[in-house]
Amino acid sequence: MLLALLMSPLSPGAGVAAAADGPRVKLSKSQEGTGGSITVTGSGWRERALLMILVCGQAEPSRGVVGGTNSCANAYGRAVTTDGEGRFGRKVPVAEPPVPCPCVVHVATVTGAKAEADAVFRVAGHAVEPLPAEPAGGRLSVLTDTRFDGSSGLLTWFGAPPARTLVLTVGNVGTSAVKDPVFQVGTSHGVFAPQWEEQQWRGTIQPGRKARIELPVELTGGAHGDYTVSLKYGGKVLAEQPWGVGRPWGVTLFWVLVCLVVPAAVFRAGMAVVDRVRPRRAGGIRHRGLRLPLPELALRLPGVKPPEAAHRAPSSASTLPWFTPDADPGTAGRLSAPHDDTPTSPTAPTSPTAPRSPAAPTSPAAPTNPATPRSPAAPTSPTTPTRKGRT
């Protein structure tokens, strides 16, 4: 019991030491033929990390996979995710790689910080050839962390290709100078393999010296999301740098405006064409695209006259009567000036006994009183014979 209590505080320290040693891989079998399977376990990995397990040829744990993933049986690879303590276990089928052995089981991270580990493995019945000789001379090694210089401009917001400059410092750890080295720069998106592009750096790096390397990196137009930029030299990956590219919202805004403006313009053009080709109705008027078929409707609009009223003057104003008609039924409703109804011809004298018309008074200002006799000497007209009034 005392021994267990003394050893229990050392357990966490042992786990940390195992994690500090880096990722490790163990195999259930060191040899298996094609069609079989093995169980791969690992520890010391980053927690919740996505890993890829491959059987690769022309590889050794000390040199890694010389030809990269092109030397692996990619079709039979398996993916696995580590647990909260950085451990995993996965059953993997055995297949012959496209190149001869020596072979390894290669485990590497898919996303995030780069980490990898190899375990020696032999595929039974597969050819074995020695590894290609390591090139003598200068060898480059990354001395500092990589970074990106530059920023996105306004055109990138509208879909222009994002561009950066990959900056890092390398040192020559070989025995000879490296002149004008050719690097391979690859960009990958998500879980897809990198697309490599060769770029030559102009300069010479002497043995034991270091140099600052700057290489341009450019993506395709409209690219957005999480990218990873890898740098390879001499068939070996020297560094990887993540790159988060924002979405080009200007392109989205452009298409939204197109979807709103174009239909509105087409609608207005169509309405204008319909208004032009539509026949005019008889008796109607046209006012800002509005047709009024009835003249009385046009009178309700200010400043608009019907066609019939536009070519003739307004009607004459009514006139006031010369006098107010009295209660006599003979004079009711007359609006004309007073006049005499007697004949004006001198050859037709008026009969003395003819009664006077009640509608012709002798004076507009002095109406005749029925109780008072008219004066016999007051003629009504210079050319009319004298008429005597009746009592």
Side-chain angles (χ1 to χ4, degrees):
M1 180 66 69
L2 181 60
L3 182 61
L5 293 176
L6 293 176
M7 292 181 63
S8 58
L10 300 178
S11 300
V16 173
D21 294 339
R24 294 177 303 199
V25 176
K26 291 183 180 181
L27 307 178
S28 61
K29 300 177 183 179
S30 61
Q31 180 178 341
E32 182 64 37
T34 302
S37 62
I38 57 175
T39 301
V40 182
T41 59
S43 61
W45 296 84
R46 189 175 68 252
E47 61 179 13
R48 309 301 178 187
L50 179 61
L51 308 179
M52 178 61 70
I53 305 174
L54 298 171
V55 177
C56 304
Q58 286 189 351
E60 287 183 352
S62 59
R63 292 184 57 181
V65 182
V66 176
T69 55
N70 293 332
S71 302
C72 305
N74 297 316
Y76 296 89
R78 293 295 183 266
V80 65
T81 303
T82 61
D83 57 13
E85 297 180 356
R87 300 177 181 178
F88 72 91
R90 189 72 161 84
K91 192 174 182 179
V92 180
V94 177
E96 293 183 353
V99 294
C101 285
C103 299
V104 297
V105 174
H106 180 72
V107 182
T109 55
V110 177
T111 58
K114 180 178 176 58
E116 59 185 11
D118 298 325
V120 177
F121 180 71
R122 182 174 181 179
V123 180
H126 192 57
V128 179
E129 295 181 2
L131 293 176
E134 188 174 359
R139 291 183 303 169
L140 298 181
S141 178
V142 177
L143 302 179
T144 60
D145 294 336
T146 58
R147 73 174 190 273
F148 282 127
D149 285 350
S151 60
S152 301
L154 181 61
L155 295 180
T156 305
W157 200 68
F158 285 94
R164 295 288 189 276
T165 301
L166 181 64
V167 180
L168 71 158
T169 302
V170 298
N172 187 355
V173 296
T175 58
S176 61
V178 177
K179 183 179 181 180
D180 299 336
V182 177
F183 296 94
Q184 289 182 318
V185 179
T187 57
S188 61
H189 182 52
V191 297
F192 296 98
Q195 301 293 328
W196 299 99
E197 179 185 357
E198 292 186 351
Q199 296 189 20
Q200 187 174 20
W201 182 78
R202 298 294 181 177
T204 302
I205 306 175
Q206 298 296 333
R209 299 285 184 173
K210 61 182 181 179
R212 187 170 183 263
I213 306 298
E214 296 183 0
L215 301 174
V217 181
E218 183 175 313
L219 302 178
T220 59
H224 61 277
D226 295 330
Y227 285 80
T228 301
V229 179
S230 305
L231 181 65
K232 183 189 293 186
Y233 176 75
K236 184 179 180 180
V237 178
L238 299 180
E240 289 185 343
Q241 178 68 26
W243 184 8
V245 183
R247 182 181 295 273
W249 292 107
V251 178
T252 305
L253 178 62
F254 170 78
W255 286 113
V256 170
L257 293 178
V258 167
C259 294
L260 294 178
V261 174
V262 171
V266 172
F267 176 76
R268 291 180 62 88
M271 294 302 296
V273 171
V274 171
D275 187 67
R276 291 287 184 182
V277 301
R278 184 170 55 184
R280 187 191 299 271
R281 295 183 180 180
I285 64 172
R286 193 171 184 175
H287 181 69
R288 293 185 178 271
L290 177 64
R291 295 180 179 272
L292 301 177
L294 299 177
E296 53 269 18
L297 295 180
L299 296 177
R300 301 180 182 179
L301 297 177
V304 179
K305 295 181 178 181
E308 294 82 5
H311 301 284
R312 66 173 182 264
S315 58
S316 58
S318 59
T319 57
L320 295 175
W322 286 88
F323 62 93
T324 303
D326 53 7
D328 191 352
T331 61
R334 295 188 61 178
L335 301 179
S336 59
H339 60 278
D340 192 2
D341 293 338
T342 58
T344 57
S345 176
T347 58
T350 305
S351 174
T353 60
R356 180 177 176 82
S357 174
T362 57
S363 176
T368 305
N369 189 358
T372 305
R374 178 186 287 264
S375 174
T380 59
S381 175
T383 58
T384 305
T386 303
R387 179 189 303 177
K388 294 183 178 181
R390 299 176 60 186
T391 58

